[in-house]
Amino acid sequence: ENLLEPVDEATVQSQPVLAFAENTDYFIRREEPENIVRTRTYDISITYDKYYRVPRVWLRGYDENQTPLTSSQIMEDISVDHAHKTVTIENHPYTGIVCASIHPCRHAEVMKRLISKMESSGKELRVDQYLFLFLKFISAAIPTMEYDYTINIDT
C-alpha cells in the first residue's frame, strides 16, 4: 500500500538559490519562485536587570538568509505603541551586539498587577509558570512574533 500523499501543488519545491552552471566551475543564481513567503527569525535573550531587579528581554533579528536585520527592520516588527519608546535599540550587556531591548521600568508593576488579578479570581500562579506569564506580557510589544506556549495561563 502506498502511504505517500499525492503531490500538493501548493507546496514550494525547495531548490538551491545558487547552483553550479553546467560545464563550469562557478555558481549562478537561480530565480526564486514568487510564491515563497519570506520570514524573519529572532534570537531572544533574557537577562536580569540589576537596577530594576526584573528580567529584561533582548531581540536580535535575522532575515530569511540569516543576515542580521538593521535597527529599522527590527522596529518594523515592534508595535507602533512600543517602538522607540518601550523598545529601544541598545548594545546587549554581555555580547555587545546591537539588539532591540524592551525597557524593564514597568515590568515589575505590570507583572504584579497580572498576578494580583489571577489571585483575586482564585487562581494561583506556580513559580514555574511565571516565565510563561512574563512572555505573554512581553508579546504585547512584539505582536508579529509567534510564541510556542506549551502551557495555558488564564489571567
Side-chain angles (χ1 to χ4, degrees):
E1 293 178 35
N2 188 357
L3 299 178
L4 295 176
E5 293 189 21
V7 176
D8 182 358
E9 293 177 13
T11 304
V12 176
Q13 300 300 319
S14 63
Q15 297 177 355
V17 175
L18 295 177
F20 274 112
E22 289 186 39
N23 302 322
T24 66
D25 291 334
Y26 59 88
F27 285 102
I28 59 170
R29 181 176 176 82
R30 290 189 179 173
E31 291 300 317
E32 297 177 350
E34 294 178 17
N35 57 349
I36 293 180
V37 176
R38 304 274 179 223
T39 59
R40 294 177 174 174
T41 57
Y42 280 84
D43 289 337
I44 298 178
S45 172
I46 301 175
T47 60
Y48 184 74
D49 189 284
K50 292 179 183 178
Y51 183 81
Y52 290 101
R53 299 181 181 203
V54 294
R56 185 169 188 162
V57 176
W58 302 86
L59 305 166
R60 182 70 182 142
Y62 302 90
D63 67 14
E64 64 277 356
N65 298 315
Q66 294 303 303
T67 303
L69 296 176
T70 63
S71 300
S72 60
Q73 288 174 314
I74 291 173
M75 285 299 178
E76 291 172 1
D77 293 334
I78 306 299
S79 77
V80 176
D81 293 337
H82 297 93
H84 304 290
K85 300 170 195 157
T86 308
V87 180
T88 56
I89 302 297
E90 301 178 43
N91 290 334
H92 191 283
Y94 299 105
T95 66
I97 296 172
V98 176
C99 298
S101 169
I102 301 175
H103 199 273
C105 62
R106 299 199 54 220
H107 287 10
E109 173 190 335
V110 173
M111 289 301 293
K112 185 174 182 175
R113 192 171 351 138
L114 290 173
I115 292 169
S116 295
K117 183 179 173 186
M118 288 179 67
E119 289 173 345
S120 67
S121 64
K123 298 173 186 164
E124 186 176 328
L125 182 70
R126 298 186 323 259
V127 173
D128 61 322
Q129 294 174 320
Y130 180 89
L131 182 60
F132 291 101
L133 184 62
F134 178 72
L135 288 175
K136 281 189 174 191
F137 156 57
I138 293 300
S139 69
I142 318 164
T144 58
M145 289 190 197
E146 294 180 15
Y147 296 89
D148 180 14
Y149 293 116
T150 56
I151 190 169
N152 185 24
I153 300 176
D154 297 322
T155 53

mmCIF file of all heavy atoms in Angstrom, residues 8-15 32-37:
data_model
loop_
_atom_site.group_PDB
_atom_site.id
_atom_site.type_symbol
_atom_site.label_atom_id
_atom_site.label_comp_id
_atom_site.label_asym_id
_atom_site.label_seq_id
_atom_site.Cartn_x
_atom_site.Cartn_y
_atom_site.Cartn_z
ATOM 1 N N ASP A 8 1.173 17.856 -3.619
ATOM 2 C CA ASP A 8 0.420 19.055 -3.264
ATOM 3 C C ASP A 8 0.955 20.200 -4.105
ATOM 4 O O ASP A 8 2.104 20.616 -3.950
ATOM 5 C CB ASP A 8 0.582 19.353 -1.774
ATOM 6 C CG ASP A 8 -0.208 20.562 -1.312
ATOM 7 O OD1 ASP A 8 -0.864 21.211 -2.155
ATOM 8 O OD2 ASP A 8 -0.168 20.850 -0.108
ATOM 9 N N GLU A 9 0.138 20.733 -4.997
ATOM 10 C CA GLU A 9 0.583 21.791 -5.902
ATOM 11 C C GLU A 9 0.911 23.086 -5.172
ATOM 12 O O GLU A 9 1.639 23.922 -5.691
ATOM 13 C CB GLU A 9 -0.478 22.042 -6.969
ATOM 14 C CG GLU A 9 -0.655 20.867 -7.912
ATOM 15 C CD GLU A 9 -1.760 21.107 -8.930
ATOM 16 O OE1 GLU A 9 -2.215 22.252 -9.064
ATOM 17 O OE2 GLU A 9 -2.145 20.139 -9.591
ATOM 18 N N ALA A 10 0.388 23.256 -3.960
ATOM 19 C CA ALA A 10 0.666 24.472 -3.192
ATOM 20 C C ALA A 10 2.026 24.423 -2.512
ATOM 21 O O ALA A 10 2.521 25.430 -2.039
ATOM 22 C CB ALA A 10 -0.417 24.690 -2.142
ATOM 23 N N THR A 11 2.636 23.263 -2.474
ATOM 24 C CA THR A 11 3.934 23.118 -1.835
ATOM 25 C C THR A 11 5.022 23.647 -2.746
ATOM 26 O O THR A 11 5.074 23.321 -3.929
ATOM 27 C CB THR A 11 4.222 21.632 -1.511
ATOM 28 O OG1 THR A 11 3.171 21.135 -0.712
ATOM 29 C CG2 THR A 11 5.539 21.482 -0.790
ATOM 30 N N VAL A 12 5.891 24.482 -2.190
ATOM 31 C CA VAL A 12 7.007 25.005 -2.955
ATOM 32 C C VAL A 12 8.129 23.989 -2.900
ATOM 33 O O VAL A 12 8.551 23.566 -1.827
ATOM 34 C CB VAL A 12 7.491 26.355 -2.369
ATOM 35 C CG1 VAL A 12 8.713 26.850 -3.112
ATOM 36 C CG2 VAL A 12 6.382 27.366 -2.423
ATOM 37 N N GLN A 13 8.597 23.589 -4.048
ATOM 38 C CA GLN A 13 9.718 22.654 -4.104
ATOM 39 C C GLN A 13 10.988 23.438 -3.808
ATOM 40 O O GLN A 13 11.257 24.465 -4.428
ATOM 41 C CB GLN A 13 9.807 22.002 -5.494
ATOM 42 C CG GLN A 13 8.569 21.228 -5.867
ATOM 43 C CD GLN A 13 8.286 20.094 -4.895
ATOM 44 O OE1 GLN A 13 9.201 19.397 -4.470
ATOM 45 N NE2 GLN A 13 7.038 19.915 -4.530
ATOM 46 N N SER A 14 11.771 22.952 -2.853
ATOM 47 C CA SER A 14 12.986 23.669 -2.491
ATOM 48 C C SER A 14 14.051 23.440 -3.545
ATOM 49 O O SER A 14 14.280 22.327 -3.989
ATOM 50 C CB SER A 14 13.479 23.229 -1.120
ATOM 51 O OG SER A 14 13.821 21.871 -1.163
ATOM 52 N N GLN A 15 14.651 24.532 -3.965
ATOM 53 C CA GLN A 15 15.746 24.493 -4.911
ATOM 54 C C GLN A 15 16.818 25.422 -4.390
ATOM 55 O O GLN A 15 16.516 26.481 -3.845
ATOM 56 C CB GLN A 15 15.295 24.970 -6.288
ATOM 57 C CG GLN A 15 14.234 24.111 -6.919
ATOM 58 C CD GLN A 15 13.796 24.692 -8.254
ATOM 59 O OE1 GLN A 15 14.225 25.764 -8.646
ATOM 60 N NE2 GLN A 15 12.930 23.974 -8.939
ATOM 61 N N GLU A 32 14.145 32.688 -7.693
ATOM 62 C CA GLU A 32 13.311 32.022 -6.701
ATOM 63 C C GLU A 32 11.849 32.143 -7.103
ATOM 64 O O GLU A 32 11.440 33.151 -7.679
ATOM 65 C CB GLU A 32 13.525 32.642 -5.323
ATOM 66 C CG GLU A 32 14.941 32.471 -4.820
ATOM 67 C CD GLU A 32 15.140 33.156 -3.486
ATOM 68 O OE1 GLU A 32 14.258 33.910 -3.048
ATOM 69 O OE2 GLU A 32 16.197 32.933 -2.889
ATOM 70 N N PRO A 33 11.051 31.138 -6.780
ATOM 71 C CA PRO A 33 9.606 31.243 -7.066
ATOM 72 C C PRO A 33 9.003 32.442 -6.332
ATOM 73 O O PRO A 33 9.426 32.791 -5.230
ATOM 74 C CB PRO A 33 9.040 29.935 -6.504
ATOM 75 C CG PRO A 33 10.196 29.019 -6.374
ATOM 76 C CD PRO A 33 11.404 29.882 -6.167
ATOM 77 N N GLU A 34 8.026 33.084 -6.959
ATOM 78 C CA GLU A 34 7.408 34.278 -6.379
ATOM 79 C C GLU A 34 6.492 33.969 -5.209
ATOM 80 O O GLU A 34 6.143 34.848 -4.447
ATOM 81 C CB GLU A 34 6.624 35.026 -7.458
ATOM 82 C CG GLU A 34 7.508 35.602 -8.540
ATOM 83 C CD GLU A 34 6.694 36.293 -9.617
ATOM 84 O OE1 GLU A 34 5.511 36.598 -9.379
ATOM 85 O OE2 GLU A 34 7.249 36.533 -10.696
ATOM 86 N N ASN A 35 6.082 32.720 -5.055
ATOM 87 C CA ASN A 35 5.105 32.394 -4.021
ATOM 88 C C ASN A 35 5.741 31.974 -2.698
ATOM 89 O O ASN A 35 5.061 31.456 -1.834
ATOM 90 C CB ASN A 35 4.154 31.309 -4.522
ATOM 91 C CG ASN A 35 4.893 30.048 -4.964
ATOM 92 O OD1 ASN A 35 6.106 30.052 -5.080
ATOM 93 N ND2 ASN A 35 4.155 28.983 -5.205
ATOM 94 N N ILE A 36 7.019 32.234 -2.509
ATOM 95 C CA ILE A 36 7.668 31.915 -1.237
ATOM 96 C C ILE A 36 7.393 33.032 -0.244
ATOM 97 O O ILE A 36 7.559 34.214 -0.553
ATOM 98 C CB ILE A 36 9.188 31.727 -1.407
ATOM 99 C CG1 ILE A 36 9.457 30.481 -2.230
ATOM 100 C CG2 ILE A 36 9.883 31.649 -0.053
ATOM 101 C CD1 ILE A 36 10.921 30.202 -2.460
ATOM 102 N N VAL A 37 6.961 32.671 0.942
ATOM 103 C CA VAL A 37 6.710 33.643 1.993
ATOM 104 C C VAL A 37 8.019 33.884 2.738
ATOM 105 O O VAL A 37 8.639 32.959 3.242
ATOM 106 C CB VAL A 37 5.624 33.128 2.977
ATOM 107 C CG1 VAL A 37 5.442 34.104 4.113
ATOM 108 C CG2 VAL A 37 4.330 32.895 2.243
#
